[in-house]
Amino acid sequence: MNQPLTSVRCTVTVYVGGPDKPPAPLPAELHYDLTDPCAVRLSLGAPLTRPVDWVFARSLLAEGRHLPTGIGDVQVTPVNTSRPPRVRLVLRTAAGAAVIEITATDVTSFLEQSFAVVPPGAESAYIDLDRAVAEVTGQSG
């Protein structure tokens, strides 16, 4: 009997650009886990170096494949003029911003695998409220 899938990890190549530099390839990993059903993690540099992690809403990544979305530290925009088409993420910190691009096929493949774990729109059924309250209050179960 097969165990139900509880997480997805996809190794991808992202392209990191700067204001005066052409985009450079960088290994990265997209990760989705049932224990945090609303979020995805983008680990830049993984698995070759100690990664820099960004965690943001899975729905933001899904919507950003089709139209610009996001108003905070993470903005996602489709880039259909590049070949192959890409998804652009602008990641902001107090120190500045990074522009990351991932091929649209890699993003779609990752999202489809994550939707097999938790269908879009069903995330609330998988949230462990007791664990969330314990994390917020600093109490252990």
Side-chain angles (χ1 to χ4, degrees):
M1 180 179 249
N2 290 340
Q3 293 290 337
L5 190 61
T6 61
S7 68
V8 175
R9 290 184 184 272
C10 291
T11 301
V12 296
T13 298
V14 301
Y15 299 87
V16 181
D20 301 326
K21 299 177 185 171
L26 179 71
E29 183 177 83
L30 287 164
H31 181 234
Y32 179 78
D33 195 281
L34 181 64
T35 61
D36 194 357
C38 296
V40 296
R41 173 176 284 116
L42 172 63
S43 296
L44 300 171
L48 300 179
T49 64
R50 184 169 178 226
V52 174
D53 290 337
W54 281 84
V55 179
F56 49 91
R58 178 175 71 162
S59 60
L60 185 73
L61 186 60
E63 187 175 328
R65 292 177 300 159
H66 307 292
L67 55 107
T69 190
I71 57 171
D73 293 340
V74 179
Q75 295 176 329
V76 185
T77 308
V79 183
N80 296 320
T81 57
S82 66
R83 293 290 170 241
R86 295 182 181 181
V87 175
R88 177 176 294 145
L89 291 90
V90 178
L91 309 172
R92 288 187 170 77
T93 68
V99 177
I100 310 291
E101 292 186 355
I102 309 171
T103 62
T105 54
D106 284 346
V107 171
T108 297
S109 175
F110 167 74
L111 286 170
E112 287 174 351
Q113 291 175 61
S114 78
F115 295 156
V117 177
V118 175
E123 294 88 355
S124 63
Y126 294 87
I127 294 174
D128 182 347
L129 290 177
D130 292 335
R131 183 180 67 93
V133 169
E135 286 178 4
V136 169
T137 61
Q139 299 174 354
S140 60

